[in-house]
Every structure is written in structure tokens, then in C-alpha cells.
Amino acid sequence: MAGHTRERLLVIGGDAAGMSAASQARRRRGPGDLEIVVLERGGFTSYSACGIPYYVGGVVADAAELIARTPEEFRERGIDVRLRTEAVEIDLDRGRVRARDAEGAERWEGYDHLLIATGAVPARPRLPGVDASNVHGIQVLQDGIDLRRAVERDGPRRAVVVGGGYIGLEMAEALVTRGLEVALVDAAEQPMRTLDPDMGALVADALRGVGVGLHLGERLEGFETEGGRVTAVRTSEGALPADLVVLGLGVRPASDLARAAGIEVGATGGIVTDRRMRTRSERVWAAGDCVETRHLISGEPVAIALGTHANKQGRVAGINLGGGYATFPGVAGTAVSKICAVEVARTGLNEAEAAAAGFAFLSAAVESTTRAGYHPGATTMRTKLVAERRSGRLLGAQIVGEENAAKRIDGLAIALWNGMTVEEMTGLDLGYAPPFAPVWDPVLIAARKAAERVEEDMRACEAGG
Amino acid sequence: MAGHTRERLLVIGGDAAGMSAASQARRRRGPGDLEIVVLERGGFTSYSACGIPYYVGGVVADAAELIARTPEEFRERGIDVRLRTEAVEIDLDRGRVRARDAEGAERWEGYDHLLIATGAVPARPRLPGVDASNVHGIQVLQDGIDLRRAVERDGPRRAVVVGGGYIGLEMAEALVTRGLEVALVDAAEQPMRTLDPDMGALVADALRGVGVGLHLGERLEGFETEGGRVTAVRTSEGALPADLVVLGLGVRPASDLARAAGIEVGATGGIVTDRRMRTRSERVWAAGDCVETRHLISGEPVAIALGTHANKQGRVAGINLGGGYATFPGVAGTAVSKICAVEVARTGLNEAEAAAAGFAFLSAAVESTTRAGYHPGATTMRTKLVAERRSGRLLGAQIVGEENAAKRIDGLAIALWNGMTVEEMTGLDLGYAPPFAPVWDPVLIAARKAAERVEEDMRACEAGG
């Protein structure tokens, strides 16, 4: 096109969100129309951070398997990936970013469109000893490589995992798989606080069952070191000997760079965007763990670091940057995890979250089997639903079970997404055959129980009124 | 209550629908208020007909395991179950049913409310030889017991299964498991006609892979017999030697009794009911395989014999008979099945059904993995979506894969149920972790592909217009 000037898209961060966006934008706009430059601080692109525990545990043999696409593959598609290059300042007025390479050399990179996909920063307690060589954070792929090397090289016997969230538990499993004696420390009285206590207790039982020592309700107070290495983890209840420490204390959005530039950051610490992933600053977009999004049930902004959201948001940003139209509607808070044989899943609001969001609610939990009771391999799973009083609208669901249990959360998440009531759900036409479900699927049994509770509550209200 | 007369509920048929209804009615109305009498032609109550192939295959050891609740258990709950008692006539004017016991003795049983739950009748070709002792239908539990006994006692070497639907395929698998050489005959060019040809072809490959001889596009023409036993099955293409024949030709609603009484029966052959399971005749209800229901996507009446519908409809009838309020909304046509390692699932309309219902549609099929590609146990599955042109509304879905593939149909069935478009579905918050799904779940990948096709089609229309 005569007089047409090529535009430049600058992406900060070469993982899920950034590379999804770059790929989508490239699909819609060729290199003659849009130059795409990606600045990545680390040495890899597009890897599965969620796969790190499986690499450490040895379930995945080679770290390369976690890499979905290499920088070379992106370059072949006309995406200029610059590794070990960190963005250190955004200059909104001039539309440029100061980038520092591995040698410390700096230069300004201009942009017509900027996408911030800086990810998340793991929480790291400011305690003496935290920087010892045998204290491992788990964030980037290199962390996983370092940890596995330490396990294989140093032959540690005792590990302490700090933090009982998904990553902490998956790391505990990985280290148990590696033959280590593992202690798990968490300040809360249950692991996996995204579950209600009755469901979390089942996870705790499972962890104990595989030999993980649970130190719940214990606060991390410090590290005992010797020769630059931690020898014990001090908690509010005593000292736990450790040859190896893994920190799994959760993450916060990596939004400092954006905030420093004057880009709006919300109360969650995540960058604020609209549903097309545009920030409040012109020509600046953001996606992935560094942004906040809307929780579809509570209506509140939340920052949830999860690869699947990062990929979706990156795709949406990329389609829009490429001249298309796409939106990211928000999240339902769905998560699944597997700790040895135990499968755990949740979506929507748990009881505490429902209360905090101002909902009056009822809960119903049922035990049922994953397959027809007479079919080999049938195991017991517990399904819990949280429903709004009166309306009966599904607000949340939790599952703890074994093989074939957890992925049932998808159906519940979709019911939730569509605002279904538990009564409506009792009629759902779900797949039935003996190898897959009892004649009443656990999801339907839970819906029935919840619907009964809603009805009883309604009658009690009417009688009382 | 003074002057209160006890009412009588008469139930014809003591399987899923009838016994669910009886149980629900009993929960809400005690024996002093409602007498419940069940007439059951056979010798069992509430068994899993869907479990019969697994009993024949030896996966389930004992037929008793398939019985959810015995007549004695129902009697303890105040439900008067009369086995080997057949209802032979309904007299609507006088509100009574003529019942014949095992000895042939007849008597009239009066009712205040009648529930017809007579189930389905298997298709049985009127061909010479069909009544030979080694030709087995599979409908009631006794059929399964007889077949397994024949397999164990007579040691047949070659079996011919007639009919390539779910039951036919599951029986073929059961007999392969038992070490028989199995041939499958179907007049259609593919097994499992509820799938599109491209998906059915995968099922055919799987059957061949486990050694089932497929005789597709061959019409059943007769049986060769010797001494009262079938020795070969004659098809339009030749003769297949057989020591054992299993008929899996599908079923039709057992509505003759109702029709003879003047109760309305629809074009599908199923008894017509409203959403509370009331027939058009006063005080007469019906539920289970003998009724027709509404297909939620096509809007057409359909008769689908499936235990999960029978249970739900029975529950709905029982709640209403008990003085409560419940409705059966219809079905989405969801089905799952497992043929050896291959899992098959479908919901909504396939391409032929969508065309017949008058929809303009597009299809998209994707191959993806059940888990993260790097996670052990990840297998390839094919997911196909059928979406309405322009609106992009999901009309149907099909899955063929291996372990952990098929139950993903539930999420698709719930999306369908809620009228979601494939574009909306791309944003769904589904459970992600490497042991459960790739970062883009197969359902999302299929939705993306379908949404792209809808968009392309729209652009092509606009450009063309």
C-alpha cells in the first residue's frame, strides 16, 4: 500500500501471554505490515511453568519437553525474540522502552503498540538465610533445572517445602517421588486454602498417606545456616532439619515496571485492562499473570496466575492487535491438581469467598463413585456444591477424589459460567455408561442434594415467615 | 387426618424409571397416605441393563452386582413389589389394570394414580431361525445371565453380533474379551451411526484393531440352522459361520399396552407426556424408555432408551406424585461408550441430524492430547464440533479418543444446553494442570477452530454479498 508505514509491536515477556499475542498478531498481520519484537529476560520462550514439578519429580525426563516453541521457531515466523534482554523502563510519552542486554548494555526500543506480559513474581520472605544456595524458588524454567540438578547432584535426604498451595503440594509430591523425606510448612490450618476446610482435610490426609510430614498452623520464622547452606527451617513450633528448601509461597503480579511508568495498577497488584486487554494508557496492552481480571461470580477484580488464562489473554490481545475483535470475559476460579493418587478441583467461590462476596449460601457435599459401583476401577469421590439461598444459583464447586474425578469440574465450571441453578442442573444430560459414571453422575447427585437443601431452606423460611 | 382415604399408586415396571418414581413418591408420602404397588414382569428390580455387557465379558463377576436394590429392600420401605406379574390391560375408565401372575392367574388391580414404566422392546427380525437357542437378545438381566452361561458352558468359538450401535459394540468387546472370534454385521457403512462418518471411521479402525471382523454395508438376510441351533448368519454378502449370535438391533418404546388403552403415543412410538411426566390421560403418568421426550436442540420428539434418562424421569414423576414439583426438560442426545481402549462420546446433533433439523451449520475437528503433551499417559483425541452458521451456536459435539477423552463430552453438553456459541466457549475457564489437560484443553482448541470457521464463513458471506 503506498505511503503505508510498517508499525512496530514491542512485547515485554516471552512466555505464554507474550508469545500467544505475538503469534496471533503475526497470523493477522504480515512482517511487511507489523514488526514484532519480544524482549525476554530469561533464556527460554513459551515453556510450561506448570510442568516444572513434573520435571523435578522425573516424570518428565527432559526440560526441553516443557518448551512449546523455541525462539528459533518464533523467528522463523517473523517474530524477533531477544533473549536475556530485560525491559527496565517504559517511557509512555515517547513510546519507547529501555532494554538491557546480558552484558548490561542498554538501548531504547520504540513501539507503536506495547504489550506488557511480565508475568508474576514469587513471594520470597525477607528472612536471613533465604538466599542460601539450597533454598529454591520455583518460578522460571531455570529454577526447575537448578532444583533437579541439586537433587541429583547433592543427594539431599530431607526437604522442607514452605507453602501449601498448588505449587507447594506438587513440589512435595515431586520430592517424595525422588525419595526424599518431605515436610510441608504452612501458616494455615489446612493445605490448599482455596478449598473449604472439609475438603482440604481430605487433601491433608492424602499428603500424610504418602508420607509428607504436615506442619500446619506453623509460621515460617527463619533459616538456620551453616557454611552458606540452610540446615534447618525454623517455624513458630520448632526447627525442621533440611538439606533442601523449596519456597512455594505464591506469587504476585509483576507490575512494578508498569506502575513506575504510570500505567494503572489495581488493588490486587495486577495491571488494569479492559476486556480486549487494553490498559488505561494509550497504545499499551497487557496480558497474563501481570494483569488483574474479573471474577465472574464475585464480580471482584482478582489476580490469578495460571497458564491457561495467560494463553487466552495473550490470544485475545494478539487478535485485537492484529485488527480482529476478541474479548477475555473473566475467570471462574477453576483449578485442578493431582497430588500422587489424589485429584483435587475447584471452581467459583468456596464458602469463605461466597461469604466475603456477600452471598447467602447453602452447601451440599456427596460421596459417590467415579464409575458404576460394580465397574472395576470405580473409586469414591467427594463433590461439594455451594449454591445461593433462594435462587439456588450455583456459586462454586469442589471435588476431591482419585482417578477420573477432578476433570468433572469442567462441567461444573460451565454450569456456573451460565448462571445455572442447582435445580436446573439436576436435569442435565451428562454422559452415562458404566466405565465412565454411575447412572447418576456425581455432578447430578451433588446437584440433587443441593437442590433439596435449597428447597428445604425455602420451606423453612416460608414456615418461619 | 380424619376422613382421609389412603390413595393407591400402581406402577407397571420395576426397573429404573418405575422404582425411582416409587422411591421418590414414598419419600414424600408415607404408607398411611399412599399405597405403592409395583407390577414387574421379570424376576428383578432396579438393575443396570447398561452393565450387562460387562457381566457377559466377565469384567463384572456376579450378576447380583448389577442390582441396585432388591425387591426386599423396596418392601422394607413400604413399596409392594410383585415380581413375575405382568400387566396385560389398562382400563382407564374404571382406573384399573389387569395383572397376570407367573401361574397365569389374573386379577384387576385398581389405582388412583398409574405410572407406566414398561421400558423398551428390542428389535427382533422376523426371520426363520431367529428363535434358535443360540440366538441371544440383550434386554433384561436374565438375557445376560443366559448368554454368559452359554459362553461358559458351550465354549462357542465364533460369534456374530448383529447391529453396530452401542450395545452391539459393547457386546462385541465382551465376546472378544472372552476369547471368541467375533464378526459384527451392520447394514450401514459405519458402526455407531450416531457419529459422523469421519468419527465413526475411527471407531471402525479400533474394532478392527482388537480383531473384530467388520461386515459393514451387509444386510442380515437369515440364519442357517442345524438341530435347532444357528450355524451361520446369512447376510447380503455371504454366510458367516457362528456358534453364537447376539442381536443388538436397537429397541423401541414398549408402548403397546398404553396404546391399546387409548393413551396417546407419539410418532416415535413413545408415550406422550408433559414435562412433569403426565400422559394426556387423567391420573396416568409415564416415564423411562417407554416415553418420548423433547430433543433440546432439534426441538423434535425423540425416544432414546437410556438408564440415566429413565432414572431422571422416574424421579420427576415420583416427586410430582408425592406432591412436589419437578420437571424433565428434555435431552441433549448425550452418550458415551468404551470399546476396549477406545472412548467414544457425542452430544447434540451430528451433521446429518443438524441438516435434517434444518440448520445451516459448519463443522470443525481437531486432534489434540488428553494431557499436556509432555505428561506420561497423554493420548491423542479427536474432538469435532458442529456449530450453526452465522450465530455460531454449538449444535453438537463428538469425541473419539482413549483414556480420559470421552467424559469431556459433559462440558460440551452443558455448553450446548445453555445455548453457548463457539466463540463464547473459547473463553471458558476449564481445569488446567499437566496431568489433566494441555494448557488449551481439547474442548477449547475445538471451540477456537469452530469459531474461526464461523468467522471466515461470515467474512466470505459479506464479501460475496
Side-chain angles (χ1 to χ4, degrees):
Chain A
M1 203 179 311
H4 179 79
T5 318
R6 186 163 83 139
E7 288 193 316
R8 189 185 218 210
L9 167 62
L10 191 63
V11 177
I12 306 178
D15 201 357
M19 298 318 297
S20 293
S23 300
Q24 285 293 332
R26 175 56 76 229
R27 280 183 64 172
R28 291 176 179 250
R29 295 177 67 178
D33 179 35
L34 184 72
E35 180 191 5
I36 304 180
V37 176
V38 178
L39 310 179
E40 165 56 40
R41 197 170 50 161
F44 305 98
T45 47
S46 285
Y47 59 88
S48 171
C50 309
I52 294 176
Y54 305 95
Y55 170 70
V56 172
V59 170
V60 173
D62 190 337
E65 294 178 54
L66 301 186
I67 297 171
R69 225 171 249 127
T70 62
E72 291 67 38
E73 290 174 282
F74 286 112
R75 285 180 196 128
E76 276 162 26
R77 297 165 70 182
I79 296 169
D80 178 4
V81 179
R82 303 188 188 166
L83 297 181
R84 294 181 195 81
T85 304
E86 185 172 6
V88 291
E89 184 188 347
I90 300 168
D91 177 353
L92 292 180
D93 291 338
R94 300 223 200 161
R96 59 183 192 165
V97 169
R98 188 152 53 90
R100 183 183 296 154
D101 68 19
E103 281 73 45
E106 293 190 351
R107 57 180 285 184
W108 287 98
E109 297 286 350
Y111 65 80
D112 297 295
H113 309 281
L114 175 66
L115 175 71
I116 304 173
T118 40
V121 202
R124 219 176 155 83
R126 291 292 98 209
L127 291 169
V130 74
D131 294 321
S133 66
N134 58 342
V135 175
H136 296 263
I138 291 298
Q139 186 203 11
V140 294
L141 186 51
Q142 192 61 48
D143 296 336
I145 294 171
D146 294 344
L147 174 54
R148 177 156 151 179
R149 189 174 298 144
V151 168
E152 292 174 350
R153 183 192 54 202
D154 307 337
R157 205 162 59 76
R158 288 166 307 193
V160 175
V161 175
V162 185
Y166 294 95
I167 291 293
L169 299 193
E170 287 165 8
M171 289 310 305
E173 176 190 350
L175 295 171
V176 164
T177 305
R178 285 284 176 165
L180 276 78
E181 199 177 293
V182 179
L184 184 89
V185 177
D186 199 295
E189 295 294 337
Q190 66 165 93
M192 231 172 246
R193 263 165 296 174
T194 56
L195 300 181
D196 290 331
D198 58 321
M199 303 297 278
L202 300 178
V203 178
D205 290 347
L207 286 165
R208 286 190 197 99
V210 298
V212 173
L214 292 189
H215 297 266
L216 301 172
E218 297 189 25
R219 273 191 326 282
L220 174 67
E221 297 203 330
F223 302 96
E224 292 170 12
T225 55
E226 224 179 272
R229 290 178 67 82
V230 167
T231 55
V233 173
R234 265 192 294 108
T235 78
S236 49
E237 305 294 317
L240 301 167
D243 305 317
L244 185 78
V245 177
V246 175
L247 299 177
L249 288 164
V251 298
R252 61 174 184 80
S255 55
D256 293 351
L257 186 69
R259 190 196 305 264
I263 296 163
E264 189 178 340
V265 171
T268 66
I271 299 168
V272 177
T273 73
D274 67 8
R275 62 184 60 233
R276 294 182 75 179
M277 307 314 296
R278 293 183 291 213
T279 70
R280 298 281 158 83
S281 302
E282 232 170 307
R283 299 190 290 147
V284 182
W285 305 66
D289 295 354
C290 62
V291 308
E292 68 177 28
T293 186
R294 190 69 50 183
H295 192 292
L296 291 169
I297 314 304
S298 73
E300 298 293 323
V302 288
I304 297 177
L306 205 56
T308 182
H309 303 330
N311 269 283
K312 286 196 197 98
Q313 292 170 344
R315 173 175 173 269
V316 166
I319 290 172
N320 288 316
L321 282 161
Y325 173 77
T327 62
F328 183 79
V331 300
T334 310
V336 292
S337 188
K338 188 161 178 285
I339 317 298
C340 298
V342 174
E343 296 190 359
V344 183
R346 56 98 68 217
T347 190
L349 306 177
N350 63 24
E351 291 181 345
E353 290 165 341
F359 284 107
F361 63 89
L362 295 163
S363 300
V366 299
E367 312 270 337
S368 46
T369 56
T370 50
R371 308 178 182 211
Y374 56 79
H375 199 278
T379 56
T380 300
M381 61 183 274
R382 183 175 168 90
T383 308
K384 181 172 182 176
L385 303 186
V386 178
E388 188 178 23
R389 281 181 69 183
R390 302 301 179 97
S391 79
R393 182 161 74 102
L394 182 66
L395 298 177
Q398 297 162 56
I399 292 170
V400 178
E402 294 182 36
E403 203 184 2
N404 299 318
K407 258 301 218 176
R408 279 184 165 87
I409 206 69
D410 285 357
L412 291 161
I414 298 174
L416 192 75
W417 188 278
N418 287 285
M420 294 189 84
T421 70
V422 287
E423 174 65 31
E424 284 168 342
M425 287 170 63
T426 64
L428 281 170
D429 189 358
L430 306 184
Y432 162 60
F436 298 102
V439 69
W440 288 97
D441 191 275
V443 166
L444 297 173
I445 299 175
R448 276 173 56 175
K449 177 91 173 279
E452 282 163 18
R453 291 223 54 200
V454 170
E455 192 193 342
E456 283 159 20
D457 175 63
M458 202 106 74
R459 275 205 304 265
C461 288
E462 283 163 7
Chain B
M1 201 181 318
H4 179 80
T5 316
R6 184 163 84 139
E7 287 192 318
R8 189 184 217 212
L9 166 63
L10 192 63
V11 177
I12 305 178
D15 200 357
M19 298 319 297
S20 293
S23 300
Q24 285 293 333
R26 176 55 78 231
R27 279 182 64 171
R28 292 176 178 249
R29 296 177 66 179
D33 178 37
L34 184 72
E35 182 191 3
I36 305 179
V37 176
V38 178
L39 310 179
E40 165 55 41
R41 197 170 53 159
F44 304 97
T45 48
S46 284
Y47 60 88
S48 169
C50 308
I52 294 175
Y54 304 94
Y55 170 70
V56 172
V59 171
V60 173
D62 189 338
E65 294 178 55
L66 301 186
I67 297 171
R69 225 172 247 127
T70 62
E72 292 66 39
E73 291 173 282
F74 285 113
R75 285 179 196 127
E76 276 162 27
R77 298 165 70 181
I79 296 169
D80 178 4
V81 179
R82 304 186 187 167
L83 297 180
R84 294 179 196 83
T85 305
E86 186 171 6
V88 291
E89 185 188 348
I90 299 169
D91 177 352
L92 290 181
D93 293 338
R94 300 222 200 162
R96 59 183 193 165
V97 169
R98 188 151 55 90
R100 184 183 295 155
D101 68 18
E103 282 73 44
E106 292 189 354
R107 58 179 287 184
W108 287 97
E109 296 287 349
Y111 64 80
D112 297 296
H113 308 281
L114 176 66
L115 174 71
I116 303 172
T118 40
V121 202
R124 221 177 153 81
R126 291 292 95 212
L127 291 169
V130 74
D131 294 322
S133 66
N134 59 340
V135 176
H136 295 263
I138 291 297
Q139 185 202 13
V140 294
L141 186 51
Q142 192 60 48
D143 296 336
I145 294 171
D146 293 345
L147 174 54
R148 176 155 151 179
R149 190 174 297 144
V151 168
E152 290 173 351
R153 185 191 53 205
D154 306 339
R157 206 162 58 77
R158 287 167 306 192
V160 174
V161 175
V162 185
Y166 294 96
I167 291 293
L169 298 194
E170 286 164 10
M171 289 310 305
E173 175 191 349
L175 295 170
V176 164
T177 306
R178 285 283 176 167
L180 277 78
E181 199 177 292
V182 179
L184 184 88
V185 177
D186 200 295
E189 295 295 336
Q190 66 164 93
M192 232 173 246
R193 261 166 297 174
T194 56
L195 301 181
D196 290 332
D198 58 322
M199 302 299 276
L202 299 178
V203 178
D205 289 346
L207 286 164
R208 286 189 197 100
V210 299
V212 174
L214 292 188
H215 297 266
L216 301 172
E218 297 190 24
R219 271 191 328 282
L220 173 67
E221 297 203 329
F223 302 96
E224 292 171 11
T225 55
E226 222 179 275
R229 293 177 67 81
V230 167
T231 54
V233 173
R234 264 192 295 107
T235 77
S236 49
E237 304 295 315
L240 300 167
D243 305 315
L244 186 77
V245 178
V246 175
L247 300 176
L249 288 164
V251 299
R252 61 173 183 81
S255 56
D256 293 350
L257 186 69
R259 190 196 305 263
I263 295 162
E264 190 179 341
V265 171
T268 67
I271 300 168
V272 177
T273 73
D274 67 9
R275 61 185 60 233
R276 295 183 73 180
M277 307 315 296
R278 293 182 292 213
T279 70
R280 298 281 159 84
S281 302
E282 232 171 307
R283 299 189 291 147
V284 182
W285 305 66
D289 294 354
C290 62
V291 309
E292 68 176 28
T293 187
R294 189 71 48 184
H295 192 292
L296 291 170
I297 313 304
S298 73
E300 297 293 323
V302 288
I304 297 177
L306 204 55
T308 182
H309 302 329
N311 269 282
K312 286 199 198 97
Q313 291 171 343
R315 173 175 173 268
V316 165
I319 289 173
N320 289 316
L321 282 161
Y325 173 77
T327 62
F328 183 79
V331 299
T334 310
V336 292
S337 187
K338 188 163 179 284
I339 316 300
C340 297
V342 173
E343 297 189 359
V344 183
R346 55 99 66 218
T347 190
L349 307 177
N350 62 24
E351 292 182 343
E353 291 166 341
F359 285 105
F361 62 89
L362 295 164
S363 302
V366 298
E367 313 271 336
S368 46
T369 56
T370 51
R371 309 177 182 210
Y374 55 80
H375 200 278
T379 56
T380 299
M381 61 183 275
R382 185 176 167 89
T383 307
K384 180 173 183 175
L385 303 186
V386 179
E388 189 178 22
R389 280 182 70 183
R390 303 299 179 100
S391 78
R393 182 160 73 102
L394 183 67
L395 298 176
Q398 297 162 56
I399 292 169
V400 177
E402 294 184 35
E403 202 184 2
N404 300 317
K407 259 300 218 176
R408 279 185 165 86
I409 206 68
D410 285 358
L412 291 160
I414 299 175
L416 193 74
W417 189 278
N418 287 285
M420 292 188 85
T421 69
V422 286
E423 174 65 31
E424 283 169 342
M425 288 171 63
T426 64
L428 281 171
D429 188 359
L430 305 184
Y432 162 60
F436 298 102
V439 70
W440 288 97
D441 191 275
V443 166
L444 298 174
I445 299 175
R448 277 173 56 174
K449 177 90 173 278
E452 281 164 19
R453 291 223 53 197
V454 170
E455 193 193 342
E456 282 160 19
D457 175 64
M458 203 106 74
R459 274 207 303 265
C461 288
E462 282 163 7

PDB file of all heavy atoms in Angstrom, chain B residues 35 39 104 127 295 321 351:
ATOM      1  N   GLU B  35     -50.482 -45.920  49.199  1.00  0.00           N
ATOM      2  CA  GLU B  35     -50.060 -47.306  48.992  1.00  0.00           C
ATOM      3  C   GLU B  35     -49.335 -47.351  47.642  1.00  0.00           C
ATOM      4  O   GLU B  35     -49.785 -46.731  46.681  1.00  0.00           O
ATOM      5  CB  GLU B  35     -51.296 -48.209  48.961  1.00  0.00           C
ATOM      6  CG  GLU B  35     -50.948 -49.679  48.786  1.00  0.00           C
ATOM      7  CD  GLU B  35     -52.182 -50.542  48.496  1.00  0.00           C
ATOM      8  OE1 GLU B  35     -53.301 -49.987  48.374  1.00  0.00           O
ATOM      9  OE2 GLU B  35     -52.009 -51.765  48.377  1.00  0.00           O
ATOM     10  N   LEU B  39     -45.904 -53.696  39.693  1.00  0.00           N
ATOM     11  CA  LEU B  39     -46.034 -54.950  38.951  1.00  0.00           C
ATOM     12  C   LEU B  39     -44.814 -55.100  38.046  1.00  0.00           C
ATOM     13  O   LEU B  39     -44.576 -54.265  37.173  1.00  0.00           O
ATOM     14  CB  LEU B  39     -47.299 -54.927  38.089  1.00  0.00           C
ATOM     15  CG  LEU B  39     -48.593 -54.510  38.790  1.00  0.00           C
ATOM     16  CD1 LEU B  39     -49.757 -54.503  37.793  1.00  0.00           C
ATOM     17  CD2 LEU B  39     -48.895 -55.431  39.965  1.00  0.00           C
ATOM     18  N   GLY B 104     -50.333 -67.688  35.644  1.00  0.00           N
ATOM     19  CA  GLY B 104     -51.355 -67.358  34.645  1.00  0.00           C
ATOM     20  C   GLY B 104     -52.654 -66.848  35.262  1.00  0.00           C
ATOM     21  O   GLY B 104     -53.592 -66.513  34.547  1.00  0.00           O
ATOM     22  N   LEU B 127     -37.199 -63.485  11.048  1.00  0.00           N
ATOM     23  CA  LEU B 127     -36.519 -64.338  10.063  1.00  0.00           C
ATOM     24  C   LEU B 127     -36.489 -65.767  10.599  1.00  0.00           C
ATOM     25  O   LEU B 127     -36.366 -65.959  11.811  1.00  0.00           O
ATOM     26  CB  LEU B 127     -35.076 -63.858   9.855  1.00  0.00           C
ATOM     27  CG  LEU B 127     -34.882 -62.511   9.159  1.00  0.00           C
ATOM     28  CD1 LEU B 127     -33.438 -62.059   9.281  1.00  0.00           C
ATOM     29  CD2 LEU B 127     -35.291 -62.620   7.682  1.00  0.00           C
ATOM     30  N   HIS B 295     -36.049 -33.357  22.135  1.00  0.00           N
ATOM     31  CA  HIS B 295     -34.614 -33.100  21.929  1.00  0.00           C
ATOM     32  C   HIS B 295     -34.400 -31.598  22.028  1.00  0.00           C
ATOM     33  O   HIS B 295     -35.017 -30.828  21.288  1.00  0.00           O
ATOM     34  CB  HIS B 295     -34.161 -33.620  20.566  1.00  0.00           C
ATOM     35  CG  HIS B 295     -32.674 -33.655  20.416  1.00  0.00           C
ATOM     36  ND1 HIS B 295     -31.905 -32.519  20.356  1.00  0.00           N
ATOM     37  CD2 HIS B 295     -31.805 -34.697  20.354  1.00  0.00           C
ATOM     38  CE1 HIS B 295     -30.627 -32.862  20.239  1.00  0.00           C
ATOM     39  NE2 HIS B 295     -30.543 -34.179  20.241  1.00  0.00           N
ATOM     40  N   LEU B 321     -45.825 -37.029  41.922  1.00  0.00           N
ATOM     41  CA  LEU B 321     -46.820 -37.918  42.546  1.00  0.00           C
ATOM     42  C   LEU B 321     -46.805 -37.757  44.059  1.00  0.00           C
ATOM     43  O   LEU B 321     -47.819 -37.965  44.729  1.00  0.00           O
ATOM     44  CB  LEU B 321     -46.521 -39.375  42.170  1.00  0.00           C
ATOM     45  CG  LEU B 321     -46.955 -39.788  40.760  1.00  0.00           C
ATOM     46  CD1 LEU B 321     -46.226 -41.042  40.304  1.00  0.00           C
ATOM     47  CD2 LEU B 321     -48.470 -39.993  40.724  1.00  0.00           C
ATOM     48  N   GLU B 351     -23.863 -34.113  12.018  1.00  0.00           N
ATOM     49  CA  GLU B 351     -24.097 -33.346  10.786  1.00  0.00           C
ATOM     50  C   GLU B 351     -25.408 -33.721  10.115  1.00  0.00           C
ATOM     51  O   GLU B 351     -26.178 -32.844   9.701  1.00  0.00           O
ATOM     52  CB  GLU B 351     -22.923 -33.531   9.824  1.00  0.00           C
ATOM     53  CG  GLU B 351     -21.638 -32.880  10.345  1.00  0.00           C
ATOM     54  CD  GLU B 351     -20.471 -33.023   9.381  1.00  0.00           C
ATOM     55  OE1 GLU B 351     -20.544 -33.879   8.475  1.00  0.00           O
ATOM     56  OE2 GLU B 351     -19.484 -32.282   9.540  1.00  0.00           O
TER      57      GLU B 351
END
